Amino acid sequence: MKHIIITLILLIGLNLNAQEKKAYQLEDGSIKIEQFYSNGQLQQISFYLEGKAFGTWLKYDEQGNIISKAKIENGRPVKLFHYKDGITTIIDRKKNSVTRIKP
């Protein structure tokens, strides 16, 4: 019995530290979702309209730096930007191209 209680307490504690999500209904009927790291820093912003992903999605690291951005149309990413070590990688699915930009 003691082991069951300890296990339940640990599971509840893990659940409290889980990633927090906040959803907002916007005026145009779309939904904006913000996800946060356990340290409270913003992790991702995403948008949905009529159950489909759309708009510009942003993803951040735990220090608040943007690490990727995606332009979404009709529920699919059409242009992706990935930022790492000062290099920007752009994937354009409409043009079927990959571009790397170095500072």
Side-chain angles (χ1 to χ4, degrees):
M1 183 70 171
K2 196 177 201 182
H3 294 289
I4 294 173
I5 293 172
I6 291 171
T7 303
L8 288 173
I9 290 171
L10 287 173
L11 290 175
I12 291 170
L14 288 174
N15 194 26
L16 292 176
N17 288 328
Q19 184 183 68
E20 181 184 349
K21 291 183 183 181
K22 292 184 180 177
Y24 306 93
Q25 183 78 36
L26 303 179
E27 289 181 17
D28 63 357
S30 65
I31 296 172
K32 175 183 178 182
I33 297 177
E34 295 177 344
Q35 294 174 271
F36 296 86
Y37 288 104
S38 59
N39 68 2
Q41 189 70 35
L42 183 61
Q43 181 182 28
Q44 181 171 303
I45 299 174
S46 52
F47 297 90
Y48 292 89
L49 181 62
E50 297 175 1
K52 282 188 173 181
F54 88 102
T56 301
W57 287 34
L58 301 169
K59 188 166 187 175
Y60 301 87
D61 64 17
E62 290 189 60
Q63 290 73 44
N65 303 305
I66 188 165
I67 55 174
S68 64
K69 178 169 63 171
K71 304 256 183 193
I72 312 287
E73 293 177 8
N74 298 317
R76 295 180 173 250
V78 293
K79 201 166 195 178
L80 305 161
F81 300 82
H82 184 71
Y83 310 99
K84 185 175 181 180
D85 299 328
I87 299 171
T88 302
T89 303
I90 304 168
I91 301 168
D92 191 330
R93 293 192 172 179
K94 286 184 175 181
K95 295 180 181 176
N96 200 21
S97 68
V98 176
T99 306
R100 287 187 178 79
I101 301 171
K102 297 179 184 178

XYZ file of all heavy atoms in Angstrom:
838
model
N 0.818 -1.195 0.000
C 0.000 0.000 0.000
C 0.859 1.255 0.000
O 0.549 2.220 -0.677
C -0.926 -0.039 1.229
C -1.873 1.114 1.296
S -3.081 0.933 -0.019
C -4.205 2.202 0.395
N 1.935 1.218 0.759
C 2.841 2.355 0.847
C 3.446 2.673 -0.526
O 3.568 3.831 -0.912
C 3.940 2.034 1.857
C 4.717 3.193 2.345
C 5.710 2.709 3.400
C 6.157 3.831 4.274
N 7.134 3.396 5.267
N 3.800 1.625 -1.290
C 4.392 1.817 -2.611
C 3.392 2.434 -3.585
O 3.762 3.249 -4.422
C 4.913 0.485 -3.162
C 6.053 -0.079 -2.391
N 7.298 0.476 -2.409
C 6.126 -1.144 -1.553
C 8.104 -0.220 -1.626
N 7.406 -1.218 -1.084
N 2.136 2.056 -3.471
C 1.093 2.607 -4.346
C 0.920 4.099 -4.071
O 0.831 4.907 -4.999
C -0.237 1.847 -4.156
C -0.082 0.411 -4.648
C -1.366 2.549 -4.898
C -1.260 -0.476 -4.354
N 0.899 4.482 -2.811
C 0.731 5.900 -2.454
C 1.920 6.710 -2.953
O 1.753 7.782 -3.533
C 0.538 6.054 -0.927
C -0.799 5.440 -0.523
C 0.606 7.521 -0.516
C -1.021 5.365 0.968
N 3.127 6.203 -2.788
C 4.326 6.906 -3.257
C 4.295 7.053 -4.775
O 4.587 8.115 -5.319
C 5.600 6.176 -2.781
C 5.727 6.315 -1.263
C 6.840 6.736 -3.478
C 6.821 5.473 -0.658
N 3.897 5.983 -5.461
C 3.792 6.036 -6.920
C 2.775 7.077 -7.360
O 3.022 7.853 -8.290
C 3.409 4.647 -7.489
O 4.377 3.697 -7.057
C 3.361 4.667 -9.005
N 1.615 7.123 -6.712
C 0.597 8.121 -7.055
C 1.097 9.537 -6.823
O 0.866 10.429 -7.650
C -0.683 7.875 -6.253
C -1.509 6.664 -6.670
C -2.653 6.434 -5.688
C -2.029 6.838 -8.078
N 1.796 9.767 -5.732
C 2.328 11.094 -5.447
C 3.336 11.504 -6.519
O 3.320 12.636 -7.006
C 2.957 11.136 -4.033
C 1.850 11.037 -2.984
C 3.781 12.404 -3.824
C 2.344 10.846 -1.564
N 4.203 10.565 -6.934
C 5.173 10.866 -7.980
C 4.488 11.177 -9.308
O 4.872 12.097 -10.021
C 6.148 9.702 -8.143
C 7.173 9.528 -7.030
C 7.965 8.249 -7.233
C 8.094 10.725 -6.960
N 3.462 10.402 -9.655
C 2.741 10.647 -10.902
C 2.035 11.996 -10.895
O 2.029 12.716 -11.887
C 1.744 9.522 -11.183
C 2.350 8.186 -11.569
C 1.260 7.124 -11.693
C 3.122 8.303 -12.866
N 1.438 12.362 -9.783
C 0.778 13.662 -9.676
C 1.810 14.771 -9.812
O 1.593 15.759 -10.508
C -0.005 13.777 -8.349
C -1.207 12.833 -8.393
C -0.456 15.210 -8.102
C -1.925 12.676 -7.064
N 2.968 14.618 -9.175
C 4.035 15.609 -9.276
C 4.542 15.774 -10.692
O 4.775 16.877 -11.159
N 4.686 14.658 -11.420
C 5.114 14.732 -12.809
C 4.083 15.444 -13.663
O 4.406 16.215 -14.556
C 5.372 13.328 -13.363
C 6.607 12.619 -12.844
C 6.652 11.187 -13.379
C 7.868 13.368 -13.222
N 2.817 15.190 -13.392
C 1.751 15.825 -14.145
C 1.742 17.339 -13.915
O 1.473 18.102 -14.824
C 0.403 15.215 -13.777
C -0.677 15.585 -14.750
O -0.390 15.872 -15.912
N -1.903 15.594 -14.287
N 2.038 17.773 -12.705
C 2.063 19.207 -12.410
C 3.211 19.902 -13.125
O 3.123 21.083 -13.442
C 2.176 19.434 -10.896
C 0.973 19.023 -10.066
C 1.264 19.211 -8.586
C -0.260 19.803 -10.472
N 4.296 19.188 -13.401
C 5.435 19.762 -14.096
C 5.333 19.619 -15.607
O 6.221 20.029 -16.326
C 6.736 19.106 -13.619
C 7.095 19.548 -12.224
O 6.797 20.671 -11.840
N 7.725 18.669 -11.473
N 4.277 19.005 -16.085
C 4.117 18.791 -17.517
C 3.961 20.128 -18.231
O 3.645 21.141 -17.641
C 2.896 17.913 -17.788
N 4.166 20.094 -19.527
C 4.078 21.276 -20.353
C 2.696 21.913 -20.242
O 1.682 21.244 -20.337
C 4.357 20.838 -21.787
C 4.394 21.931 -22.791
C 4.607 21.361 -24.160
O 3.720 20.688 -24.681
N 5.752 21.598 -24.737
N 2.681 23.228 -20.048
C 1.417 23.951 -19.933
C 0.980 24.437 -21.316
O 1.802 24.861 -22.115
C 1.607 25.158 -19.008
C 0.351 25.947 -18.803
C 0.574 27.189 -17.957
O 1.652 27.332 -17.350
O -0.335 28.019 -17.927
N -0.311 24.349 -21.584
C -0.875 24.843 -22.836
C -1.965 25.851 -22.517
O -2.752 25.656 -21.595
C -1.496 23.715 -23.656
C -0.527 22.747 -24.229
C -1.241 21.728 -25.087
C -0.280 20.706 -25.623
N -0.939 19.722 -26.471
N -1.994 26.934 -23.285
C -3.074 27.908 -23.166
C -3.666 28.114 -24.548
O -2.939 28.280 -25.520
C -2.541 29.240 -22.637
C -2.063 29.179 -21.205
C -1.635 30.543 -20.718
C -1.158 30.466 -19.288
N -0.675 31.768 -18.815
N -4.988 28.080 -24.643
C -5.671 28.263 -25.917
C -6.543 29.507 -25.859
O -7.156 29.801 -24.839
C -6.524 27.043 -26.248
N -6.577 30.237 -26.966
C -7.357 31.461 -27.061
C -8.203 31.428 -28.327
O -7.711 31.084 -29.402
C -6.439 32.688 -27.149
C -5.438 32.782 -26.027
C -4.152 32.253 -26.171
C -5.766 33.389 -24.827
C -3.229 32.336 -25.147
C -4.850 33.481 -23.797
C -3.582 32.957 -23.966
O -2.673 33.038 -22.953
N -9.469 31.800 -28.200
C -10.341 31.942 -29.370
C -10.152 33.357 -29.906
O -10.331 34.328 -29.170
C -11.806 31.724 -28.967
C -12.780 31.784 -30.116
C -12.792 30.509 -30.942
O -12.643 29.430 -30.413
N -12.965 30.640 -32.232
N -9.768 33.501 -31.152
C -9.540 34.811 -31.737
C -10.787 35.293 -32.451
O -11.712 34.525 -32.725
C -8.343 34.753 -32.693
C -7.033 34.262 -32.056
C -5.920 34.211 -33.097
C -6.622 35.148 -30.892
N -10.825 36.583 -32.775
C -12.015 37.201 -33.375
C -12.400 36.592 -34.715
O -13.572 36.555 -35.060
C -11.793 38.707 -33.529
C -11.788 39.442 -32.214
C -11.592 40.938 -32.380
O -11.782 41.455 -33.489
O -11.239 41.580 -31.384
N -11.422 36.116 -35.483
C -11.741 35.548 -36.800
C -12.192 34.091 -36.714
O -12.367 33.428 -37.717
C -10.535 35.680 -37.730
C -9.314 34.896 -37.262
O -9.375 34.283 -36.178
O -8.305 34.896 -37.988
N -12.368 33.578 -35.480
C -12.814 32.198 -35.294
C -11.685 31.199 -35.186
O -11.913 30.017 -34.952
N -10.454 31.659 -35.361
C -9.312 30.754 -35.248
C -8.940 30.551 -33.783
O -9.414 31.261 -32.901
C -8.113 31.312 -36.025
O -7.661 32.514 -35.443
N -8.098 29.569 -33.540
C -7.638 29.255 -32.191
C -6.126 29.409 -32.158
O -5.414 28.881 -33.020
C -8.035 27.826 -31.788
C -9.554 27.715 -31.736
C -7.410 27.446 -30.454
C -10.053 26.304 -31.541
N -5.641 30.138 -31.169
C -4.204 30.316 -30.949
C -3.834 29.484 -29.729
O -4.465 29.593 -28.680
C -3.880 31.783 -30.685
C -2.443 32.052 -30.336
C -2.232 33.533 -30.023
C -0.811 33.817 -29.631
N -0.626 35.246 -29.281
N -2.800 28.648 -29.877
C -2.347 27.815 -28.762
C -0.910 28.182 -28.426
O -0.052 28.237 -29.307
C -2.446 26.317 -29.105
C -3.907 25.952 -29.343
C -1.825 25.466 -28.003
C -4.139 24.531 -29.750
N -0.680 28.433 -27.153
C 0.662 28.703 -26.656
C 1.072 27.561 -25.746
O 0.315 27.176 -24.857
C 0.710 30.016 -25.875
C 0.424 31.228 -26.723
C 0.403 32.517 -25.924
O 0.303 32.466 -24.675
O 0.475 33.582 -26.545
N 2.253 27.014 -25.974
C 2.789 25.951 -25.132
C 4.020 26.496 -24.424
O 4.782 27.271 -25.011
C 3.168 24.739 -25.975
C 1.960 24.077 -26.601
C 2.364 22.974 -27.542
O 2.579 23.231 -28.706
N 2.488 21.765 -27.031
N 4.214 26.063 -23.164
C 5.294 26.588 -22.352
C 6.167 25.463 -21.814
O 5.685 24.368 -21.534
C 4.722 27.379 -21.172
C 3.947 28.599 -21.600
C 2.604 28.500 -21.924
C 4.565 29.830 -21.686
C 1.888 29.615 -22.329
C 3.854 30.949 -22.083
C 2.519 30.844 -22.404
N 7.461 25.760 -21.658
C 8.373 24.846 -20.979
C 8.040 24.847 -19.492
O 7.359 25.744 -18.991
C 9.828 25.295 -21.162
C 10.376 25.092 -22.554
C 10.531 26.172 -23.422
C 10.755 23.836 -22.988
C 11.051 25.996 -24.702
C 11.275 23.647 -24.267
C 11.416 24.729 -25.110
O 11.930 24.541 -26.373
N 8.561 23.874 -18.767
C 8.312 23.800 -17.331
C 8.892 24.998 -16.584
O 8.434 25.335 -15.500
C 8.865 22.499 -16.754
O 10.253 22.414 -16.989
N 9.874 25.703 -17.184
C 10.442 26.892 -16.548
C 9.606 28.149 -16.809
O 9.971 29.238 -16.397
C 11.890 27.117 -16.995
C 12.026 27.504 -18.462
O 11.041 27.653 -19.183
N 13.248 27.644 -18.913
N 8.478 27.992 -17.508
C 7.582 29.111 -17.785
C 7.866 29.825 -19.090
O 7.091 30.663 -19.533
N 8.970 29.498 -19.742
C 9.345 30.145 -21.006
C 8.458 29.615 -22.138
O 8.142 28.430 -22.193
C 10.820 29.846 -21.303
C 11.393 30.615 -22.461
C 11.551 32.088 -22.151
O 11.856 32.478 -21.038
N 11.346 32.914 -23.136
N 8.058 30.503 -23.030
C 7.237 30.129 -24.178
C 7.984 29.133 -25.054
O 9.154 29.325 -25.372
C 6.888 31.378 -24.986
C 5.978 31.215 -26.184
C 4.613 30.674 -25.778
C 5.822 32.542 -26.900
N 7.316 28.035 -25.434
C 7.928 27.010 -26.276
C 7.429 27.089 -27.719
O 8.216 26.984 -28.648
C 7.634 25.616 -25.725
C 8.275 24.514 -26.545
C 7.946 23.134 -26.025
O 6.904 22.917 -25.414
N 8.818 22.188 -26.265
N 6.115 27.259 -27.905
C 5.567 27.252 -29.261
C 4.274 28.032 -29.324
O 3.489 28.032 -28.379
C 5.321 25.804 -29.701
C 4.770 25.687 -31.110
C 4.736 24.254 -31.597
O 5.763 23.589 -31.622
N 3.569 23.777 -31.987
N 4.052 28.666 -30.470
C 2.780 29.324 -30.770
C 2.256 28.688 -32.052
O 2.982 28.589 -33.043
C 2.945 30.840 -30.976
C 3.482 31.499 -29.715
C 1.616 31.472 -31.389
C 3.822 32.970 -29.880
N 1.016 28.245 -32.027
C 0.422 27.627 -33.207
C -1.010 28.113 -33.384
O -1.630 28.604 -32.437
C 0.465 26.098 -33.091
O -0.083 25.674 -31.869
N -1.520 27.984 -34.603
C -2.861 28.468 -34.937
C -3.646 27.393 -35.678
O -3.083 26.648 -36.486
C -2.780 29.711 -35.836
C -2.111 30.884 -35.189
C -0.755 31.072 -35.294
C -2.859 31.794 -34.463
C -0.131 32.158 -34.695
C -2.253 32.883 -33.856
C -0.879 33.058 -33.974
N -4.949 27.348 -35.409
C -5.854 26.417 -36.081
C -7.111 27.156 -36.509
O -7.581 28.061 -35.816
C -6.257 25.274 -35.143
C -5.107 24.362 -34.806
C -4.280 24.629 -33.718
C -4.847 23.234 -35.579
C -3.222 23.796 -33.412
C -3.784 22.397 -35.272
C -2.975 22.677 -34.187
O -1.932 21.864 -33.887
N -7.653 26.759 -37.634
C -8.921 27.291 -38.115
C -9.719 26.126 -38.676
O -9.217 25.393 -39.546
C -8.702 28.360 -39.194
C -9.954 29.019 -39.758
C -10.708 29.772 -38.663
C -9.608 29.965 -40.890
N -10.910 25.928 -38.147
C -11.781 24.833 -38.572
C -11.050 23.489 -38.491
O -11.144 22.652 -39.394
C -12.325 25.090 -39.969
C -13.189 26.337 -40.040
C -13.649 26.679 -41.458
O -13.310 25.934 -42.405
O -14.340 27.693 -41.599
N -10.263 23.306 -37.432
C -9.574 22.045 -37.203
C -8.298 21.836 -38.001
O -7.662 20.805 -37.884
N -7.912 22.818 -38.824
C -6.700 22.697 -39.638
C -5.659 23.710 -39.182
O -5.984 24.846 -38.856
C -6.996 22.976 -41.114
C -7.650 21.864 -41.856
C -7.691 22.208 -43.323
C -8.199 21.046 -44.135
N -8.213 21.371 -45.568
N -4.407 23.274 -39.208
C -3.305 24.178 -38.895
C -3.227 25.253 -39.980
O -3.485 24.988 -41.147
C -2.001 23.393 -38.842
N -2.871 26.492 -39.559
C -2.684 27.564 -40.532
C -1.841 28.671 -39.907
O -1.569 28.668 -38.711
C -4.037 28.116 -41.016
C -4.581 29.227 -40.157
C -4.477 30.544 -40.554
C -5.167 28.952 -38.940
C -4.970 31.555 -39.744
C -5.664 29.957 -38.131
C -5.565 31.267 -38.535
N -1.441 29.617 -40.725
C -0.734 30.796 -40.231
C 0.753 30.548 -40.027
O 1.342 29.652 -40.606
N 1.354 31.374 -39.184
C 2.777 31.276 -38.885
C 2.959 30.668 -37.508
O 2.485 31.209 -36.516
C 3.438 32.670 -38.943
O 3.252 33.223 -40.242
C 4.923 32.576 -38.644
N 3.624 29.543 -37.460
C 3.921 28.865 -36.201
C 5.346 29.211 -35.804
O 6.245 29.259 -36.643
C 3.810 27.361 -36.378
C 2.422 26.826 -36.508
C 1.347 27.435 -37.096
C 1.951 25.563 -36.067
N 0.247 26.632 -37.041
C 0.588 25.462 -36.415
C 2.546 24.503 -35.425
C -0.176 24.348 -36.122
C 1.781 23.385 -35.139
C 0.441 23.313 -35.484
N 5.557 29.426 -34.515
C 6.877 29.768 -33.998
C 7.273 28.795 -32.900
O 6.438 28.418 -32.083
C 6.875 31.184 -33.428
C 6.501 32.303 -34.405
C 6.283 33.602 -33.666
C 7.580 32.453 -35.454
N 8.544 28.415 -32.886
C 9.054 27.534 -31.838
C 10.306 28.167 -31.246
O 11.152 28.673 -31.973
C 9.375 26.151 -32.399
C 9.721 25.159 -31.325
C 9.713 23.743 -31.848
C 9.908 22.788 -30.686
N 9.790 21.417 -31.078
N 10.405 28.113 -29.895
C 11.491 28.755 -29.164
C 12.251 27.725 -28.338
O 11.695 26.710 -27.933
C 10.926 29.811 -28.208
C 10.135 30.885 -28.892
C 8.771 30.730 -29.139
C 10.736 32.068 -29.296
C 8.040 31.719 -29.766
C 10.006 33.067 -29.923
C 8.658 32.885 -30.160
O 7.928 33.860 -30.783
N 13.529 28.036 -28.035
C 14.278 27.193 -27.105
C 13.964 27.647 -25.674
O 13.216 28.605 -25.474
C 15.783 27.204 -27.402
C 16.453 28.562 -27.222
O 15.878 29.464 -26.571
O 17.571 28.724 -27.731
N 14.546 26.987 -24.695
C 14.229 27.287 -23.296
C 14.755 28.633 -22.833
O 14.355 29.131 -21.785
C 14.747 26.177 -22.379
C 13.942 24.899 -22.555
C 14.275 23.854 -21.521
O 14.094 24.131 -20.322
O 14.708 22.762 -21.923
N 15.631 29.277 -23.618
C 16.123 30.608 -23.278
C 15.312 31.713 -23.956
O 15.582 32.889 -23.777
C 17.604 30.751 -23.674
C 18.560 29.928 -22.827
C 18.487 28.442 -23.129
O 18.437 28.042 -24.296
N 18.478 27.622 -22.100
N 14.328 31.331 -24.777
C 13.467 32.314 -25.442
C 13.907 32.701 -26.834
O 13.329 33.598 -27.445
N 14.925 32.028 -27.378
C 15.392 32.306 -28.738
C 14.555 31.523 -29.738
O 14.271 30.344 -29.527
C 16.865 31.900 -28.897
C 17.745 32.608 -27.899
O 17.746 33.825 -27.806
N 18.500 31.841 -27.129
N 14.197 32.164 -30.834
C 13.418 31.457 -31.856
C 14.322 30.430 -32.539
O 15.449 30.731 -32.901
C 12.798 32.445 -32.872
C 11.842 31.717 -33.794
C 13.852 33.199 -33.634
C 10.937 32.618 -34.578
N 13.824 29.201 -32.656
C 14.612 28.152 -33.305
C 13.998 27.696 -34.629
O 14.698 27.161 -35.477
C 14.849 26.942 -32.379
C 13.551 26.380 -31.839
C 15.795 27.313 -31.265
C 13.705 25.101 -31.034
N 12.693 27.936 -34.805
C 12.086 27.607 -36.093
C 10.790 28.379 -36.286
O 10.150 28.817 -35.339
C 11.840 26.102 -36.234
O 10.911 25.654 -35.283
N 10.464 28.523 -37.560
C 9.233 29.205 -37.945
C 8.667 28.440 -39.135
O 9.421 27.961 -39.986
C 9.551 30.648 -38.328
C 8.367 31.453 -38.802
C 8.660 32.943 -38.921
C 9.699 33.292 -39.915
N 9.810 34.746 -40.151
N 7.360 28.296 -39.179
C 6.728 27.585 -40.290
C 5.529 28.373 -40.791
O 4.724 28.860 -40.001
C 6.283 26.198 -39.852
N 5.430 28.518 -42.089
C 4.255 29.120 -42.720
C 3.360 27.957 -43.143
O 3.770 27.085 -43.905
C 4.646 29.939 -43.945
C 5.660 31.007 -43.652
C 5.034 32.346 -43.611
C 6.142 33.369 -43.377
N 5.660 34.637 -43.040
N 2.127 27.959 -42.622
C 1.207 26.843 -42.848
C 0.049 27.307 -43.732
O -0.550 28.345 -43.478
C 0.627 26.329 -41.509
C 1.716 26.125 -40.459
C -0.218 25.098 -41.711
C 2.604 24.959 -40.648
N -0.255 26.509 -44.752
C -1.418 26.763 -45.620
C -2.177 25.456 -45.796
O -1.572 24.417 -46.044
C -0.974 27.287 -46.986
C -0.354 28.658 -46.956
C 0.134 29.113 -48.326
O -0.138 28.436 -49.340
O 0.810 30.153 -48.373
N -3.482 25.498 -45.677
C -4.331 24.316 -45.861
C -3.867 23.137 -45.012
O -3.889 21.990 -45.456
C -4.404 23.914 -47.333
C -5.029 24.990 -48.186
O -6.028 25.601 -47.802
N -4.425 25.267 -49.329
N -3.422 23.419 -43.799
C -3.024 22.365 -42.882
C -1.639 21.786 -43.102
O -1.247 20.848 -42.425
N -0.879 22.351 -44.055
C 0.453 21.810 -44.359
C 1.499 22.925 -44.361
O 1.241 24.020 -44.831
C 0.468 21.143 -45.733
C -0.421 19.941 -45.794
C -0.373 19.325 -47.176
N -1.094 18.080 -47.159
C -0.514 16.897 -47.255
N 0.782 16.800 -47.393
N -1.230 15.806 -47.234
N 2.696 22.611 -43.871
C 3.770 23.615 -43.924
C 4.237 23.819 -45.363
O 4.484 22.854 -46.088
C 4.884 23.012 -43.071
C 4.585 21.560 -42.983
C 3.114 21.395 -43.192
N 4.303 25.074 -45.796
C 4.753 25.371 -47.154
C 6.136 26.008 -47.170
O 6.861 25.915 -48.154
C 3.750 26.270 -47.917
C 2.452 25.516 -48.181
C 3.477 27.554 -47.180
N 6.496 26.673 -46.051
C 7.821 27.275 -45.947
C 8.287 27.140 -44.506
O 7.579 27.515 -43.581
C 7.784 28.736 -46.374
C 9.115 29.298 -46.768
C 8.939 30.612 -47.497
C 10.223 30.991 -48.218
N 10.066 32.225 -48.973
N 9.478 26.570 -44.330
C 10.029 26.330 -43.005
C 11.351 27.076 -42.863
O 12.166 27.086 -43.783
C 10.280 24.834 -42.805
C 9.075 23.933 -43.035
C 9.514 22.506 -43.279
C 8.159 24.001 -41.849
N 11.541 27.681 -41.704
C 12.782 28.376 -41.387
C 13.344 27.729 -40.132
O 12.640 27.597 -39.134
C 12.525 29.857 -41.090
C 11.905 30.602 -42.230
C 10.536 30.551 -42.449
C 12.678 31.371 -43.080
C 9.955 31.242 -43.485
C 12.108 32.071 -44.128
C 10.739 32.011 -44.336
N 14.606 27.327 -40.180
C 15.254 26.717 -39.010
C 16.507 27.525 -38.710
O 17.321 27.770 -39.614
C 15.602 25.260 -39.288
C 16.185 24.558 -38.120
N 15.446 24.221 -37.013
C 17.443 24.139 -37.867
C 16.224 23.624 -36.130
N 17.442 23.565 -36.630
N 16.656 27.943 -37.456
C 17.771 28.784 -37.042
C 18.665 28.007 -36.085
O 18.212 27.571 -35.038
C 17.252 30.044 -36.347
C 16.177 30.756 -37.139
C 14.832 30.580 -36.839
C 16.511 31.581 -38.199
C 13.846 31.220 -37.569
C 15.541 32.232 -38.936
C 14.206 32.047 -38.620
O 13.228 32.678 -39.337
N 19.950 27.837 -36.459
C 20.878 27.113 -35.595
C 22.305 27.583 -35.862
O 22.729 27.633 -37.024
C 20.777 25.602 -35.830
C 21.620 24.792 -34.879
C 21.389 23.318 -35.065
C 22.240 22.554 -34.058
N 22.058 21.134 -34.186
N 23.005 27.902 -34.799
C 24.406 28.314 -34.874
C 24.629 29.450 -35.874
O 25.618 29.458 -36.609
C 25.305 27.115 -35.222
C 25.229 26.010 -34.188
O 25.036 26.341 -33.000
O 25.351 24.829 -34.565
N 23.709 30.398 -35.941
C 23.842 31.541 -36.839
C 23.499 31.255 -38.288
O 23.600 32.127 -39.138
N 23.104 30.029 -38.579
C 22.754 29.655 -39.955
C 21.238 29.500 -40.052
O 20.619 28.839 -39.228
C 23.443 28.344 -40.365
C 24.967 28.507 -40.318
C 22.988 27.890 -41.753
C 25.736 27.224 -40.500
N 20.664 30.124 -41.056
C 19.231 29.991 -41.312
C 19.041 29.028 -42.482
O 19.606 29.234 -43.553
C 18.608 31.351 -41.670
O 18.834 32.263 -40.600
C 17.111 31.219 -41.922
N 18.275 27.984 -42.260
C 17.933 27.044 -43.325
C 16.473 27.287 -43.694
O 15.600 27.273 -42.831
C 18.115 25.583 -42.869
O 19.467 25.399 -42.438
C 17.803 24.616 -43.995
N 16.232 27.523 -44.981
C 14.875 27.779 -45.475
C 14.480 26.636 -46.399
O 15.162 26.355 -47.381
C 14.791 29.115 -46.233
C 15.281 30.260 -45.337
C 13.367 29.360 -46.724
C 15.497 31.554 -46.085
N 13.377 25.998 -46.072
C 12.836 24.935 -46.918
C 11.538 25.458 -47.518
O 10.591 25.749 -46.802
C 12.579 23.649 -46.109
C 13.884 23.174 -45.469
C 11.956 22.576 -46.988
C 13.708 22.107 -44.431
N 11.526 25.596 -48.832
C 10.351 26.095 -49.546
C 9.731 24.924 -50.297
O 10.261 24.462 -51.303
C 10.744 27.207 -50.501
C 9.546 27.937 -51.081
O 8.464 27.317 -51.232
O 9.682 29.132 -51.388
N 8.620 24.427 -49.785
C 7.992 23.253 -50.404
C 7.285 23.591 -51.711
O 7.117 22.718 -52.554
C 7.033 22.606 -49.419
C 7.796 22.011 -48.249
C 6.949 21.139 -47.425
N 7.781 20.465 -46.436
C 7.330 19.641 -45.543
N 6.057 19.357 -45.498
N 8.138 19.081 -44.681
N 6.861 24.839 -51.887
C 6.231 25.220 -53.154
C 7.253 25.224 -54.293
O 6.957 24.814 -55.398
C 5.579 26.598 -53.035
C 4.294 26.597 -52.243
C 3.657 27.971 -52.249
C 2.316 27.956 -51.562
N 1.669 29.270 -51.581
N 8.458 25.720 -53.984
C 9.523 25.776 -54.995
C 10.411 24.547 -54.951
O 11.327 24.418 -55.778
C 10.380 27.017 -54.775
C 9.649 28.317 -54.984
C 10.560 29.493 -54.745
C 9.829 30.795 -54.923
N 10.694 31.950 -54.597
N 10.172 23.647 -53.995
C 10.973 22.447 -53.825
C 12.462 22.786 -53.709
O 13.301 22.250 -54.424
C 10.733 21.467 -54.974
C 11.139 20.060 -54.598
O 11.226 19.722 -53.432
N 11.410 19.245 -55.601
N 12.765 23.739 -52.786
C 14.146 24.182 -52.641
C 14.566 24.279 -51.173
O 13.724 24.426 -50.287
C 14.328 25.548 -53.295
O 13.615 26.535 -52.574
N 15.878 24.178 -50.967
C 16.478 24.360 -49.643
C 17.573 25.400 -49.794
O 18.434 25.289 -50.660
C 17.077 23.043 -49.094
C 17.780 23.287 -47.764
C 16.007 21.974 -48.956
N 17.532 26.424 -48.938
C 18.524 27.495 -48.966
C 19.126 27.632 -47.576
O 18.413 27.617 -46.583
C 17.857 28.840 -49.366
O 17.151 28.671 -50.585
C 18.881 29.932 -49.490
N 20.443 27.768 -47.535
C 21.133 28.018 -46.267
C 21.760 29.398 -46.331
O 22.484 29.703 -47.264
C 22.190 26.952 -45.993
C 21.565 25.645 -45.596
C 22.600 24.630 -45.160
N 21.964 23.398 -44.729
C 21.495 22.468 -45.533
N 21.585 22.620 -46.824
N 20.924 21.385 -45.047
N 21.488 30.202 -45.307
C 22.028 31.555 -45.247
C 22.969 31.630 -44.057
O 22.583 31.380 -42.927
C 20.892 32.594 -45.087
C 19.930 32.483 -46.266
C 21.463 33.998 -44.973
C 18.682 33.302 -46.109
N 24.218 31.994 -44.337
C 25.226 32.161 -43.285
C 25.450 33.656 -43.113
O 25.489 34.393 -44.101
C 26.513 31.458 -43.658
C 26.363 29.962 -43.806
C 27.670 29.319 -44.213
C 27.457 27.833 -44.443
N 28.670 27.164 -44.882
N 25.674 34.095 -41.871
C 25.893 35.528 -41.651
C 27.216 36.014 -42.246
O 28.097 35.321 -42.506
C 25.911 35.671 -40.127
C 26.073 34.305 -39.575
C 25.714 33.335 -40.650
